[in-house]
Amino acid sequence: MKAVLTAALLAATALPALAFDPANMSAAEKAAFGEAVRDYLMENPDVLIESINVLEERRMADEAKNDQLLVENNRDAIFNDGHSWIGGNPEGDVTLVEFVDYRCGVCKRISPDVQDLIESDGNIRWIVKEFPILTQESDMAARFAIAVQQEAGPDAYKKAHDALMQSRGPVNLESLTEMAGQLGLDSQAVLNRMNTEEVSAVLRKNHQLAEQMRVMGTPTFIIEGEMLRGMPAEGLESTIARARAAKAEG
């Protein structure tokens, strides 16, 4: 058995890769080889962990390349759809797109950080995509925000967006009527617009884009050519820096 094991190990390690053909091994040699590999991995588990890490790095790199292609193929719908609110610095050198759901706990939690970054940077073009996917309240909140923008303009939308992000109570006709009044808006006009085709068309287009981009959760960010499915632990600054460096390189 030792001779068989030795032969199997030599075949696996000493010969060129193309010369090692398990199909030509006998049943005993295959069994010995498998046992040798198992023993090696049991004695050196770091090798297995390292292999798994390499595979994960390759998977993430492949996903990043696929996401870059998705961004490239949908640039107009992402960055210039004609209906999404644009804030920050509209002439900024880097565009940050955010898919949001007003009932998403993470979206609410990171909202102050996102806005602080945009304000402190001063050169970020910020686009918000209404993407309600969690509950019926998500849909009502998104319709309210879009209706406010269509009725009262971008400044009113920003106030409604912030109010919805800060709200911790239920979303219903009563709470939205009260919110519109607090924002100095015509509550009835906003509520009447919420279920119009003009508002539904915006949501429909956003959902179609999300499907094409394989966006399945919120928050999702697109920063120039890079897509982030969730908020990175280190924040958005490093991605923005990479985007600026890529633009500088031309």
Side-chain angles (χ1 to χ4, degrees):
M1 178 60 72
K2 288 184 178 181
V4 173
L5 177 58
T6 301
L9 290 174
L10 286 173
T13 59
L15 297 177
L18 292 177
F20 176 55
D21 184 4
N24 292 327
M25 296 171 66
S26 67
E29 289 172 334
K30 289 180 181 179
F33 178 71
E35 187 65 24
V37 171
R38 179 185 179 282
D39 289 345
Y40 179 80
L41 292 176
M42 293 296 290
E43 294 174 4
N44 301 275
D46 289 348
V47 173
L48 186 58
I49 295 172
E50 182 179 354
S51 299
I52 292 173
N53 289 339
V54 170
L55 288 174
E56 180 64 12
E57 289 173 1
R58 290 176 181 173
R59 183 190 66 78
M60 292 178 65
D62 288 342
E63 286 186 356
K65 289 180 181 178
N66 290 337
D67 285 346
Q68 288 171 358
L69 287 175
L70 290 173
V71 172
E72 187 60 33
N73 292 336
N74 294 278
R75 291 194 69 83
D76 284 344
I78 295 169
F79 300 112
N80 301 289
D81 62 17
H83 62 255
S84 292
W85 177 82
I86 299 175
N89 180 353
E91 304 301 324
D93 64 339
V94 170
T95 298
L96 181 154
V97 179
E98 182 181 8
F99 287 78
V100 301
D101 183 319
Y102 293 113
R103 304 309 285 173
C104 164
V106 177
C107 295
K108 289 177 177 292
R109 178 172 57 79
I110 69 171
S111 179
D113 295 332
V114 172
Q115 299 204 45
D116 286 348
L117 170 63
I118 291 168
E119 291 173 7
S120 62
D121 183 285
N123 206 21
I124 297 174
R125 179 174 177 251
W126 179 28
I127 299 176
V128 175
K129 303 279 189 186
E130 303 289 345
F131 185 48
I133 56 174
L134 295 177
T135 68
Q136 182 62 34
E137 290 188 351
S138 300
D139 184 74
M140 287 189 68
R143 286 180 177 277
F144 177 81
I146 297 167
V148 168
Q149 181 180 9
Q150 293 180 355
E151 280 289 326
D155 291 342
Y157 170 90
K158 178 60 167 59
K159 293 178 182 178
H161 173 85
D162 291 347
L164 288 166
M165 280 297 182
Q166 294 164 10
S167 173
R168 295 298 183 268
V171 176
N172 51 43
L173 290 178
E174 182 179 354
S175 65
L176 293 177
T177 299
E178 181 180 355
M179 182 178 292
Q182 292 173 346
L183 296 175
L185 303 171
D186 184 336
S187 302
Q188 197 58 52
V190 172
L191 294 179
N192 288 343
R193 179 174 282 272
M194 283 174 57
N195 289 316
T196 62
E197 172 57 23
E198 289 83 359
V199 171
S200 296
V202 171
L203 291 176
R204 187 164 56 248
K205 290 176 182 177
N206 287 354
H207 279 276
Q208 289 171 348
L209 174 62
E211 183 176 355
Q212 292 168 348
M213 299 294 296
R214 300 173 189 168
V215 173
M216 294 176 285
T218 56
T220 293
F221 299 93
I222 299 173
I223 301 175
E224 294 298 329
E226 191 168 346
M227 183 153 57
L228 304 174
R229 301 179 184 276
M231 171 65 92
E234 68 275 13
L236 302 174
E237 289 87 346
S238 60
T239 306
I240 290 170
R242 284 196 300 272
R244 284 203 171 106
K247 280 196 165 186
E249 293 174 0

